[in-house]
Amino acid sequence: MSWQAYVDDHLMCEIEGTNNHLSAAAILGLDGSVWAQSATFPQFKPDEIVAISKDFDEPGTLAPTGLYLGGTKYMVIQGEPGAVIRGKKGAGGICVKKTGMAFVIGIYDEPVTPGQCNMIVERLGDYLIEQGL
């Protein structure tokens, strides 16, 4: 399966029982290279990915400043140190799951809930980890 199919079929899919889906999603290499992304995924700066990567290595580094992606600032909320970073901005937010080789990123807005976004992103991330990716 292509990386684009993972984004289209697993991240940007309709959420069970609803007509809703994530606003944007991507799979990025740990170096910030784009493996696949939705058409709506924001244009990000390399230093934003460096900051996200640093927070996985040193949990808590993003909390004081916020998580930035595509110039949008998300307030960092509870996650799983070294595994998942979650952020909130108004009625929407972001979830970043780290695998052995990539970041799986989902961005959402209402009516999608934080829990729905987290489930979609983390489920694919866990699957990729199981596959050795």
Side-chain angles (χ1 to χ4, degrees), residues 6-7 10-12 22-30 32-34 36-38 40-42 44 48-49 52-53 56 67-70 74 84-85 87 93-99 102-108 117-118 120-122 124-125 128:
Y6 280 112
V7 170
H10 298 282
L11 295 175
M12 295 301 292
L22 299 180
S23 309
I27 301 173
L28 307 179
L30 296 180
S33 60
V34 176
Q37 64 184 10
S38 67
T40 53
F41 197 74
F44 59 87
E48 293 173 333
I49 303 304
I52 290 169
S53 187
F56 280 108
L67 181 161
Y68 285 85
L69 190 71
Y74 298 90
V84 179
I85 300 170
I94 189 169
C95 179
V96 183
K97 171 79 176 181
K98 183 180 180 186
T99 74
F103 297 117
V104 180
I105 303 173
I107 299 172
Y108 68 93
C117 178
N118 297 344
I120 290 168
V121 170
E122 293 173 36
L124 179 59
L128 294 177

Side-chain angles (χ1 to χ4, degrees), residues 49-67:
I49 303 304
V50 169
I52 290 169
S53 187
K54 182 178 180 189
D55 194 82
F56 280 108
D57 296 335
E58 302 170 35
T61 57
L62 286 178
T65 59
L67 181 161

